Amino acid sequence: MHDTNLLEDQPIAWTPSPEVIERAQLTKFMRQVGVSTWDELYEFSIRDVERFTEEVLKFLDIKFDPPYESLLDTSNGIEFPAWFGRNADTPFRFLNPEGSLRDVSDAPQAPFPPQDADKSVRVPTAGLNITEMCLDRWQADEMKDQPAVIWEGEDGLDTTLSYAQLLGEVTKCAEGMRARGLGKADAIGIHMPMMPETVIALLAINRIGGIAVPVFSGYGTEAIASRMNAVRAKALFTCPNFTRRGKQTQPTPVGFEAAGKCPALKTVFLVPAKLKPPPHALKPGELSEDARKLIEAYKAMSDEERVEFQRNQEAESNRQREEAFSRLKELGASEEKIAEIRQQMETQSSGI
C-alpha cells in the first residue's frame, strides 16, 4: 500500500518571500535541530519522536509543573506510549501561603518542609497549565501589548487581540462559567467556527479546570448530541451565524436542538456573530433614506391617514413580535421564559 499525497497536484496559493522565510519561527526551529529542508525535518520527526518532541518543548519554552522524569516510554509497545511520566512519590512544588509556587524538594528553609504526598494527591505524570503557558507568562510589560490572536473572516472583517486583552476576555468568560456552577472536570462543548471567541472559550474552559469538547460547527443535531452525551457535557458554546465559503451558516438552531437531547447539559452560551457590517451601515443617529422618506410621507398625511398608518404599523410590530416568540420556542426557550420576555416587552411598550 502506498500513501498518496493529495496536495502534490494542487496549485500553490502563496509562496513566501526570502524575507518571510528568514523571520519565520519554522526557520528558527529548523536551525535549532540542525536541518535545512522540510523533508529533513519530517524525517527527523518520525525517526526520533522523543527527541523531536523534546526539541519542540524546548523551542516553545513549555514548562511542566510538576516536571516529567521520562518524556516517552514505549516499553509496552509503540501503540501504547506513556508520555511525560514521573515517580509519583517525587516531591513537587506547591503553593506557599502567599500564593506563589515554590519548589520545596531541596529547600530546608522553606516555610513547609518537603514531605511525601498522600495517595490522594500523588502525581504519576507531569502537569501542564496551558493557560499559564498561553496567557499568564506573556503579561510582562514587553509582551502584554503584543498580538496574541490575529483573525480575519471570509468577509474581510479582522480582529487582533493583545495578550493583555486576551487574558481579560478569558478571565471574564471563566468567571461567567463559574457563576453558572461550572468548574473542574466538567465537560463543555464548543460548537463554533474558527474565530477569536473560540480561542477565548477554549482557554477559559481550561482555566476553570474544565474539559473542552470541540464539535465541528457543521455537524447535525444527532452528531452533536451523541458527542455531548458521551462525555456528559454540562454546557455548550454556540453562535447564531457565520460565513463559510461565501454562504451564511446558522448553527444556533442545531446547537439548541442538540442541547435539548442532552440530559446533563443545562447551559448554552450564545456568542454574538462575527460579521462585517454592510457597506451601507448607518452611523449612530443617522437615518436611512427609507426612514427619511417615511417621515416626509407621514407629515403629508391627513389625520385619518395617520390613524390608519399607525394601526398598520402596530399590527406589523405585533406580527414580528409573535414571529420572534415562535423562533425562541424553536430554539428551546421554555414557556415560562417566553412569558417573562412578553411581559417585559408589554410593560415597556405601555410606559409603566
Side-chain angles (χ1 to χ4, degrees):
M1 180 176 179
H2 299 284
D3 292 334
T4 301
N5 187 341
L6 299 179
L7 301 179
E8 283 186 347
D9 298 326
Q10 296 296 315
I12 297 175
W14 174 73
T15 301
S17 66
E19 293 77 14
V20 170
I21 294 174
E22 179 60 29
R23 69 170 185 264
Q25 295 297 319
L26 180 60
T27 302
K28 296 177 183 177
F29 179 66
M30 291 170 67
R31 288 172 179 163
Q32 174 182 302
V33 300
V35 300
S36 57
T37 68
W38 170 262
D39 289 338
E40 289 178 356
L41 181 64
Y42 174 70
E43 196 277 332
F44 167 50
S45 73
I46 60 177
R47 182 186 71 250
D48 193 339
V49 175
E50 182 174 9
R51 187 185 160 209
F52 177 80
T53 304
E54 189 172 21
E55 291 288 355
V56 170
L57 295 174
K58 176 182 175 182
F59 182 77
L60 297 176
D61 193 26
I62 301 296
K63 293 181 172 61
F64 290 80
D65 177 34
Y68 60 85
E69 296 173 359
S70 170
L71 194 153
L72 175 61
D73 179 3
T74 58
S75 57
N76 291 325
I78 195 171
E79 65 273 27
F80 298 109
W83 291 92
F84 307 114
R86 69 188 306 276
N87 186 338
D89 294 325
T90 302
F92 57 91
R93 295 192 299 168
F94 63 95
L95 285 174
N96 283 334
E98 61 269 24
S100 60
L101 283 168
R102 181 169 184 175
D103 194 334
V104 299
S105 58
D106 58 353
Q109 75 278 14
F112 300 106
Q115 51 187 303
D116 289 341
D118 62 41
K119 292 182 179 180
S120 64
V121 295
R122 288 181 179 180
V123 185
T125 59
L128 175 63
N129 186 327
I130 192 66
T131 61
E132 181 181 350
M133 290 295 98
C134 292
L135 293 172
D136 299 78
R137 69 167 174 166
W138 304 114
Q139 299 307 312
D141 290 340
E142 65 271 17
M143 283 299 299
K144 65 180 182 179
D145 295 324
Q146 294 297 313
V149 175
I150 303 174
W151 174 86
E152 182 176 347
E154 286 189 18
D155 56 8
L157 180 66
D158 61 85
T159 298
T160 298
L161 294 175
S162 68
Y163 283 103
Q165 291 172 324
L166 181 59
L167 176 60
E169 294 298 320
V170 168
T171 300
K172 288 190 291 184
C173 185
E175 290 172 351
M177 285 190 285
R178 289 194 184 101
R180 300 295 296 183
L182 299 168
K184 186 176 181 180
D186 288 336
I188 302 169
I190 301 178
H191 176 232
M192 296 193 294
M194 295 302 295
M195 61 185 197
E197 288 75 8
T198 304
V199 178
I200 293 168
L202 175 64
L203 291 173
I205 293 169
N206 294 152
R207 202 163 185 84
I208 66 172
I211 303 169
V213 187
V215 289
F216 175 47
S217 54
Y219 276 160
T221 300
E222 295 303 326
I224 297 172
S226 65
R227 286 160 175 78
M228 295 297 99
N229 282 323
V231 295
R232 297 182 181 178
K234 292 187 177 181
L236 177 70
F237 281 85
T238 187
C239 64
N241 49 58
F242 61 91
T243 303
R244 174 181 285 143
R245 297 181 181 178
K247 296 181 179 180
Q248 285 292 306
T249 301
Q250 297 180 325
T252 299
V254 176
F256 272 92
E257 185 178 352
K261 296 177 179 290
C262 304
L265 205 158
K266 303 299 183 183
T267 303
V268 176
F269 296 101
L270 186 59
V271 179
K274 203 81 174 174
L275 299 174
K276 187 175 183 178
H280 57 275
L282 299 173
K283 298 177 181 178
E286 183 181 359
L287 293 174
S288 67
E289 182 64 25
D290 289 342
R292 287 195 293 269
K293 289 180 179 179
L294 188 60
I295 292 173
E296 293 301 320
Y298 185 80
K299 290 178 179 178
M301 292 178 186
S302 64
D303 290 342
E304 293 79 7
E305 289 173 330
R306 288 183 179 180
V307 170
E308 181 64 21
F309 173 80
Q310 291 171 358
R311 186 181 296 116
N312 292 337
Q313 289 293 103
E314 184 177 353
E316 176 61 18
S317 177
N318 289 336
R319 185 194 67 78
Q320 293 181 1
R321 183 182 302 179
E322 293 305 317
E323 190 176 271
F325 288 141
S326 297
R327 185 63 172 163
L328 283 173
K329 190 173 182 179
E330 291 175 3
L331 294 176
S334 65
E335 294 290 349
E336 293 78 9
K337 189 63 178 178
I338 293 176
E340 179 185 340
I341 296 173
R342 186 189 294 274
Q343 181 61 42
Q344 289 174 353
M345 295 177 69
E346 291 176 353
T347 300
Q348 292 172 358
S349 63
S350 63
I352 297 177

